[in-house]
Amino acid sequence: MAAMSGKIVENVIVAKNRQLRTNEYYYQRDCCSAAAPYSHRNLLPFHGGKKLLAWRSGISSMHLPKYQTAFVNRPTVYCNAALSTTAEPYLDKVDFMKLQNGSDIRGVAVAGVEGEPVTLTEPVTEAIAAAFSAWLSEKKKADASKPLKVSVGHDSRISAQVLQDAVSRGIAGAGLDVVQYGWVYDSPSCHLPYNRNGLKFFTNAGGLGKADIKNILERAGDIYNSFTDEGFLKSKRQASESIKQVDYMTVYTSGLVKAVRNAAGNREKPLEGFHIVVDAGNGAGGFFAEQVLQPLGAITSGSQFLEPDGLFPNHIPNPEDKTAMKAITQAVLQNKADLGIIFDTDVDRSAAVDSTGREFNRNRLIALMSAIVLEEHPGTTIVTDSVTSDGLTTFIEKKLGMQKTIMAHCLFAVFECAYNVPVFFRGKHHRFKRGYKNVIDEAVRLNSVGEESHLAIETSGHGALKENHWLDDGAYLMVKVLNKLASARASGNAGGSKVLTDLVEGLQEPEVAVELRLKIDQNHPDLKGGSFREYGEAVLKHLENHVKSDTKLQKAPVNYEGVRVSGFGGWFLLRLSLHDPVLPLNIEASSHENAVKLGLAVASAVNEFHALDTSALDKFVQSS
């Protein structure tokens, strides 16, 4: 298979003798057989920052190191999938640009869902990996005598190993060394159905942006067009010596354990006696209970869904999902635990629950993390996405700051009297655009222009800290919470998770918070051949003009996304989705009546846009 600079792309042999024909879902092992053998390779999370490059993908594994019996005796799945010992790549024409999803690459990796043909095949994936290698070599200007090293990993999706091997072949074939870490965090597919998957790229300078992904996909198209079926099959039979496997889990988890011990004055078991349950949702976060909490002395009985299962049979692993949060809340209450921790599929998002069942997610999680970070970095700027509440702004800039200022006055009263200098611990809330990459990049930018920022966090649970190289690592976020528990106990506070609850005291939360999705019909005559984005922008412009004529409404003076408006004791934000023909509408208010008034204001402004499906909004405003 021809690749860059006339080199031959060498390929690793797919594990065992069975290979996946991705177009018709030929799986690596007989998933319909309870007696199918399992491979026991180490599949370990990767935590970047020290290597030249950390490349992470959303591909997952059915090789279960500890939980190898997870799929035995399960109901038969995908039995319409034929098995084959040969792979037929079917090198059809592919529109690579349709695989771009902002700063990620996403596609259908498994057949079986009507109307969703497989787009992320082995050849496509291999071409993308080869293209990334070429892009990276240009960026790093690598010396041919010293190849660059790329790490590859995946989460718990069922299309795991085949795509990881395809990626590894593409990178190795381009002349770069490959390190397979197995299980990792931060996949781009954590919110997607089982049949989908994706790729995500990082260098030691951080995650790649939209322009970089576009460049890589353009290159991938050219590489793919040079592939032949014969060359592809030949390359799959060739193992590459440049592909290595590394056990990074011990290094990573020991770092998390050490951080908590340090916070408690180097105590060996600072969480001894604490009962903490973990809900991994059958994603990649099951390690946290045994390899982080238990070495710290915590009791973890009652932890649930720790076994990886790419079909997610118990609940969607999503800290925003009500069913998922109900599951961890029930686990905390039933086990009379001090704290509950829940992760999403790939552990780049997390949330918590205190001993009373009070959830720390969305705005409340941001408030908690802001309080913790502001104790360490008074005055720092907290960067969030666009849908955070007005109450959160007040909490960060006034209520939380006021509490700290009063405390400072008590501690430094003599200093203030002598020098007449007020002492402030207030933070600053910088509300930016949706998208974890947008939030992180904005925090990095602020630091570069002299405005200190130590926390970038979305309401979805994506949280990144400056001290952790701006990685949106949900496990590290929870370690910051554990640090607070451990340090409080070390100082004699035996209040358990009440320490955390007290930190968010004063956060004003809305009585009503809804998100309504107004879809744009791209086939409607009103679009007149234009794009849904142009139509959506016209809707937003009209709404902005409408608000100006209503004295009861006030447009936000500083806003980076969509149209945000205050009024009737609440606010609304109408914005255009980053990738889809949808205008999401967020409304928060002190009562249902006031929320309806805000909804009516939007409805009256957009009623002349007939390509806009306002049925969700109409139903809401009629519910008064």
Side-chain angles (χ1 to χ4, degrees):
M1 178 170 59
M4 306 305 295
S5 305
K7 294 182 180 178
I8 301 299
V9 175
E10 298 185 1
N11 296 267
V12 123
I13 296 176
V14 177
K16 304 295 179 184
N17 293 321
R18 302 178 190 265
Q19 301 172 354
L20 171 73
R21 192 168 90 184
T22 50
N23 299 71
E24 296 183 14
Y25 190 34
Y26 282 73
Y27 197 59
Q28 192 174 345
R29 63 177 178 81
D30 186 353
C31 64
C32 300
S33 170
Y38 291 86
S39 172
H40 296 272
R41 70 172 60 191
N42 291 324
L43 296 174
L44 308 169
F46 170 73
H47 184 269
K50 294 186 178 180
K51 284 212 165 273
L52 171 66
L53 175 83
W55 182 94
R56 311 185 202 179
S57 81
I59 46 191
S60 64
S61 177
M62 296 289 284
H63 298 279
L64 310 178
K66 181 176 180 182
Y67 312 105
Q68 64 264 29
T69 60
F71 287 84
V72 174
N73 298 324
R74 290 192 52 169
T76 300
V77 292
Y78 304 117
C79 287
N80 61 328
L83 286 161
S84 173
T85 56
T86 61
E88 299 178 40
Y90 290 106
L91 299 174
D92 294 331
K93 289 185 178 180
V94 176
D95 186 348
F96 278 79
M97 303 317 297
K98 288 185 177 180
L99 296 174
Q100 181 163 7
N101 188 72
S103 57
D104 297 340
I105 291 172
R106 298 182 183 181
V108 177
V110 174
V113 177
E114 186 177 358
E116 296 188 10
V118 173
T119 56
L120 202 60
T121 63
E122 282 187 76
V124 166
T125 303
E126 192 165 326
I128 293 171
F132 168 65
S133 302
W135 175 91
L136 180 67
S137 296
E138 288 184 9
K139 292 291 182 181
K140 299 297 181 181
K141 296 180 173 59
D143 184 346
S145 64
K146 188 178 181 181
L148 292 170
K149 185 176 292 186
V150 181
S151 62
V152 185
H154 52 77
D155 69 10
S156 58
R157 292 190 168 266
I158 62 175
S159 48
Q161 201 63 52
V162 173
L163 294 189
Q164 178 181 248
D165 289 345
V167 166
S168 300
R169 292 194 302 269
I171 296 171
L176 279 62
D177 288 340
V178 179
V179 178
Q180 290 186 345
Y181 284 101
W183 236 326
V184 298
Y185 310 154
D186 211 9
S187 81
S189 60
C190 59
H191 311 293
L192 303 179
Y194 75 90
N195 66 320
R196 296 180 179 245
N197 219 315
L199 316 176
K200 194 176 213 174
F201 305 89
F202 290 83
T203 71
N204 57 344
L208 272 61
K210 296 178 183 179
D212 299 321
I213 298 301
K214 182 175 183 292
N215 183 296
I216 288 170
L217 287 173
E218 288 172 346
R219 295 171 186 256
D222 294 334
I223 294 173
Y224 180 84
N225 289 335
S226 70
F227 286 179
T228 64
D229 284 3
E230 181 181 354
F232 183 81
L233 293 173
K234 180 180 178 180
S235 67
K236 287 175 69 67
R237 293 191 293 267
Q238 298 174 340
S240 173
E241 294 181 357
S242 62
I243 298 178
K244 309 294 182 184
Q245 292 178 357
V246 174
D247 177 352
Y248 194 79
M249 183 57 137
T250 302
V251 177
Y252 174 66
T253 56
S254 64
L256 298 181
V257 170
K258 184 179 179 180
V260 181
R261 286 173 176 162
N262 288 343
N266 295 318
R267 297 191 180 190
E268 181 70 15
K269 295 185 179 295
L271 298 181
E272 191 165 18
F274 274 121
H275 190 171
I276 303 175
V277 297
V278 174
D279 185 326
N282 299 112
F287 76 94
F288 199 82
E290 182 178 345
Q291 295 176 262
V292 177
L293 293 175
Q294 290 179 20
L296 293 168
I299 302 165
T300 61
S301 59
S303 293
Q304 58 192 17
F305 317 139
L306 305 183
E307 298 82 5
D309 184 339
L311 296 176
F312 311 124
N314 294 292
H315 63 71
I316 298 172
N318 180 357
E320 287 190 289
D321 181 69
K322 292 182 179 179
T323 301
M325 291 307 298
K326 183 179 180 180
I328 182 60
T329 299
Q330 288 179 338
V332 168
L333 297 176
Q334 289 172 2
N335 290 279
K336 298 181 180 179
D338 296 292
L339 185 71
I341 292 174
I342 184 169
F343 296 111
D344 75 339
T345 315
D346 57 346
V347 200
D348 61 359
R349 298 186 300 142
S350 56
V353 176
D354 73 7
S355 59
T356 68
R358 181 182 174 91
E359 299 174 359
F360 293 106
N361 65 344
R362 297 186 62 79
N363 284 284
R364 209 177 290 163
L365 176 65
I366 299 175
L368 175 62
M369 293 308 304
S370 297
I372 291 173
V373 169
L374 279 165
E375 283 188 353
E376 300 171 354
H377 306 283
T380 196
T381 295
I382 310 297
V383 182
T384 73
D385 59 346
S386 60
V387 298
T388 48
S389 69
D390 289 344
L392 180 66
T393 302
T394 302
F395 177 78
I396 292 172
E397 298 188 347
K398 297 180 180 179
K399 290 189 177 180
L400 182 61
M402 186 180 299
Q403 294 166 1
K404 297 301 178 184
T405 302
I406 292 172
M407 181 182 71
H409 284 190
C410 296
L411 293 175
F412 302 108
V414 175
F415 175 80
E416 283 197 276
C417 292
Y419 298 96
N420 196 28
V421 178
V423 180
F424 292 101
F425 286 83
R426 292 180 180 177
K428 179 180 177 183
H429 183 196
H430 183 79
R431 189 183 288 115
F432 197 56
K433 301 176 183 178
R434 290 217 75 176
Y436 78 95
K437 189 70 167 58
N438 290 329
V439 173
I440 292 173
D441 286 350
E442 180 67 1
V444 172
R445 185 193 69 80
L446 290 177
N447 280 284
S448 71
V449 297
E451 182 173 342
E452 183 188 74
S453 176
H454 284 269
L455 175 64
I457 185 168
E458 274 197 305
T459 49
S460 65
H462 280 286
L465 292 122
K466 182 180 181 181
E467 67 188 56
N468 194 36
H469 311 286
W470 293 117
L471 296 172
D472 54 325
D473 183 345
Y476 192 86
L477 209 66
M478 288 300 103
V479 161
K480 295 293 287 185
V481 173
L482 296 178
N483 286 351
K484 187 64 183 174
L485 287 178
S487 61
R489 165 166 286 189
S491 63
N493 188 330
S497 61
K498 187 176 184 300
V499 171
L500 307 177
T501 308
D502 289 346
L503 284 177
V504 299
E505 184 180 355
L507 174 65
Q508 182 180 356
E509 300 182 77
E511 289 295 321
V512 179
V514 297
E515 180 172 289
L516 308 171
R517 296 175 67 81
L518 314 184
K519 297 180 180 180
I520 300 173
D521 180 359
Q522 299 183 79
N523 297 317
H524 197 280
D526 278 9
L527 266 69
K528 300 176 181 178
S531 68
F532 77 82
R533 183 158 296 278
E534 292 172 338
Y535 192 83
E537 293 291 352
V539 173
L540 293 176
K541 184 62 179 177
H542 184 77
L543 174 61
E544 187 174 0
N545 292 333
H546 179 83
V547 167
K548 291 179 182 178
S549 63
D550 192 331
T551 58
K552 296 179 181 178
L553 302 175
Q554 178 65 49
K555 183 175 177 291
V558 178
N559 188 52
Y560 295 92
E561 183 175 43
V563 179
R564 186 179 179 112
V565 175
S566 297
F568 302 108
W571 59 273
F572 71 75
L573 172 69
L574 185 67
R575 60 185 177 85
L576 183 59
S577 172
L578 294 173
H579 314 294
D580 302 318
V582 175
L583 286 162
L585 171 64
N586 291 86
I587 300 176
E588 288 192 3
S590 57
S591 68
H592 182 76
E593 180 183 358
N594 285 334
V596 167
K597 290 178 181 177
L598 291 168
L600 286 169
V602 176
S604 64
V606 303
N607 60 7
E608 62 186 70
F609 290 87
H610 303 296
L612 194 64
D613 180 2
T614 61
S615 56
L617 176 58
D618 296 339
K619 182 179 179 180
F620 177 74
V621 298
Q622 291 168 8
S623 64
S624 57

